[in-house]
Amino acid sequence: MTEVDYSLNTDSVARPADANLMPPLPPQPKSLRETGLERQLVVELIAKLLFVDGRTHLSALTTRLRLSLNVLREVLDFMVGEQVVEVAWRGESDIEVQYQLTGSGKQRATAFLERCAYIGAAPVTLEAYRAMVARQSWRAQEQRIGSDDLAAVLGGAHAGPGMLDVVGAALHSGRSLLLYGPPGSGKSTLALQLGQLLHGLVAVPYAIVAGQDIIQLYDPAQHLPPAPQHVSHARQALERRSTDIRWVLCQRPVIHVGAELDAGMLELRHDAGGGCYQAPPHVRANNGMLVVDDLGRQRLSAPELLTRLMQPLARGVDQLGLPGGVKLSMPFDNALVLATNVPPGELLDPALLRRIGYKVHVGPLADSAYRALFRQQCHLAGIGVDETVLQHLLQQLHGAGGRPLLASYPQELLSRISDFAGFAGSAPRLTVAALEQAWASLFASCDLPPAAFCESIA
């Protein structure tokens, strides 16, 4: 059973305030030498883009390739001299100019595309990426995660005896964390909420070049833009000085993988259509958090997965293979959070369990925490709270049926109340009948006495 996100709405949780919000973004390269790139790589990127788009304005080349006007002019002047490109139109100012390929240039561009179909942002060097990851490591952030941060993000829903202390110690130490407990207890949501505790913004490159190969790293679905409360600060910092636009300013990434994970996903994957390699999830999670959900249900065994991840994580470096036996030393800098429904002793031997830094059992909620969570979910769903109905839920449905107070149930029940009301063309209301109807649809009618079930759907 794959556990879904169900309790608190992580989108509504603000990350803690940051004293040092901005990473040290690289300055804009003023020459090709300052980019660290070989001239031939930039020549090929320009030629392939002109081949696909045809006549292109200089400003459009800057936008697509993420290179400054100075760098592009330097390379384009060389390409004009080599009769690969020509000026198709020139306006009154230096930047009002359009370029197109010559006949010879089109032939060369065809050969470039056959060798590598990548057309996109110019990459940064692997050395520059390593240096940036080290500089903005989440372990090195000056503002440490405190108990107030934990309480603000997690609230009281999971504040069992000593839980916040264990979770806080794990995040403070940088060691791995295992969340285990029954399905529906809130492990997945808790893991993702922990990602909200990572302070600050990070610079992520669109792509990296290693030798002759390009590795695409930035993913807009996973590398999220600065949160609204940080946008003005980020904009001001970017306006203060011109920066290298091959880097994107993002929140610290929280990458979530589940049962779909296999050994191949942890390696560089060649994207034939895009003409480059795609970075694996633990590389995309650098300077942030990697959440491995449903541990034990992946397509490789839990011991294999832990062995694959734990050794590189301890060293801070992972070796990724390229064709021909070439190995790349890629930074591995993220908080590793594991979640499982399976008892840890059944998944891993004692030696592997010892290598996991901290273990936290996530079980049923206390009565007061369950009530608070139910009220919160009512507020998020726009459904008024009726304390009599809530009491009926705890005493008659949970109590009589022996169902534990798991964090998933409030949202599940309230979403069903909304579904039934929507189907009936009415506004959702929290009543005993609506609650029992939702309960029956969640657990099957055998969980209710026949008479009560018939009354609930009448």
Side-chain angles (χ1 to χ4, degrees):
M1 175 179 176
T2 299
E3 191 173 3
V4 295
D5 302 337
Y6 34 61
S7 60
L8 298 179
N9 182 356
T10 57
D11 291 338
S12 66
V13 179
R15 291 175 185 251
D18 295 296
N20 298 292
L21 179 65
M22 297 299 303
L25 291 171
Q28 183 184 86
K30 294 182 172 59
S31 66
L32 178 62
R33 183 183 61 81
E34 291 182 4
T35 68
L37 301 177
E38 297 290 337
R39 184 172 62 189
Q40 183 59 30
L41 172 61
V42 181
V43 166
E44 293 186 12
L45 288 174
I46 294 173
K48 289 185 290 186
L49 180 58
L50 291 176
F51 184 86
V52 172
D53 289 357
R55 177 187 296 187
T56 304
H57 198 282
L58 178 59
S59 61
L61 289 172
T62 297
T63 301
R64 291 287 302 278
L65 300 181
R66 314 299 293 181
L67 290 171
S68 68
L69 292 174
N70 287 340
V71 172
L72 285 174
R73 282 199 191 100
E74 180 180 341
V75 179
L76 284 164
D77 287 346
F78 169 80
M79 295 175 73
V80 170
E82 293 292 307
Q83 298 183 345
V84 176
V85 301
E86 58 189 5
V87 175
W89 172 85
R90 190 183 296 277
E92 296 181 358
S93 69
D94 289 343
I95 62 171
E96 291 183 39
V97 57
Q98 292 180 340
Y99 292 90
Q100 65 186 15
L101 291 172
T102 63
S104 172
K106 291 178 181 178
Q107 292 179 349
R108 293 194 191 184
T110 300
F112 297 155
L113 284 166
E114 289 177 354
R115 185 167 67 247
C116 174
Y118 177 80
I119 302 175
V124 303
T125 64
L126 181 55
E127 292 74 17
Y129 177 61
R130 289 179 185 139
M132 180 62 80
V133 170
R135 194 156 54 238
Q136 59 192 15
S137 172
W138 72 276
R139 292 181 176 88
Q141 58 183 326
E142 294 184 19
Q143 188 173 353
R144 306 301 296 177
I145 296 168
S147 57
D148 291 343
D149 294 333
L150 276 170
V153 172
L154 304 184
H158 294 288
M163 177 180 286
L164 293 185
D165 290 337
V166 176
V167 171
L171 293 177
H172 178 82
S173 69
R175 301 177 68 189
S176 53
L177 173 65
L178 173 66
L179 306 174
Y180 65 96
S185 58
K187 299 181 299 298
S188 299
T189 299
L190 175 58
L192 293 174
Q193 287 171 329
L194 294 179
Q196 306 301 310
L197 292 166
L198 302 181
H199 297 273
L201 304 178
V202 293
V204 177
Y206 283 94
I208 302 166
V209 62
Q212 301 299 313
D213 297 297
I214 293 176
I215 302 165
Q216 194 163 13
L217 195 143
Y218 172 72
D219 182 346
Q222 297 178 318
H223 296 106
L224 304 180
Q229 67 268 27
H230 295 158
V231 169
S232 60
H233 296 285
R235 185 178 297 115
Q236 291 170 10
L238 290 173
E239 290 173 352
R240 277 199 299 268
R241 61 173 182 165
S242 183
T243 58
D244 190 342
I245 56 177
R246 293 177 295 168
W247 300 82
V248 189
L249 200 61
C250 309
Q251 300 177 35
R252 289 189 180 269
V254 180
I255 307 298
H256 178 272
V257 294
E260 77 283 359
L261 185 66
D262 59 25
M265 290 176 61
L266 297 174
E267 304 296 334
L268 293 171
R269 179 179 58 85
H270 189 258
D271 179 1
C276 62
Y277 288 89
Q278 295 292 332
H282 61 290
V283 173
R284 286 199 159 109
N286 271 335
N287 296 144
M289 179 177 289
L290 176 66
V291 177
V292 180
D293 208 353
D294 284 326
L295 181 66
R297 304 187 188 280
Q298 282 75 25
R299 299 174 188 177
L300 69 166
S301 69
E304 290 176 316
L305 176 57
L306 264 292
T307 300
R308 173 67 183 83
L309 291 177
M310 298 292 283
Q311 291 179 353
L313 182 62
R315 295 193 305 264
V317 176
D318 192 20
Q319 299 295 324
L320 298 177
L322 287 170
V326 176
K327 290 287 185 180
L328 296 181
S329 293
M330 190 70 70
F332 193 164
D333 177 82
N334 50 64
L336 177 61
V337 179
L338 312 163
T340 183
N341 301 327
V342 183
E346 296 180 12
L347 278 179
L348 305 166
D349 61 35
L352 275 174
L353 276 176
R354 282 197 302 272
R355 295 177 64 184
I356 298 175
Y358 290 85
K359 298 88 175 173
V360 173
H361 179 256
V362 184
L365 301 179
D367 182 285
S368 59
Y370 189 86
R371 290 174 184 270
L373 182 59
F374 192 90
R375 296 185 188 105
Q376 181 193 54
Q377 290 298 329
C378 283
H379 174 72
L380 292 174
I383 299 175
V385 180
D386 187 317
E387 295 296 334
T388 302
V389 179
L390 178 53
Q391 187 69 12
H392 179 82
L393 169 62
L394 272 77
Q395 291 188 348
Q396 301 302 318
L397 298 181
H398 278 291
R403 291 276 178 184
L405 303 179
L406 297 181
S408 64
Y409 294 158
Q411 187 184 53
E412 293 282 6
L413 291 168
L414 291 168
S415 67
R416 283 165 169 74
I417 289 174
S418 296
D419 291 341
F420 283 117
F423 177 70
S426 60
R429 292 179 57 245
L430 185 61
T431 65
V432 170
L435 182 64
E436 290 188 341
Q437 184 182 40
W439 184 277
S441 72
L442 180 59
F443 296 115
S445 59
C446 60
D447 289 330
L448 283 174
F453 176 67
C454 292
E455 291 175 2
S456 72
I457 62 175

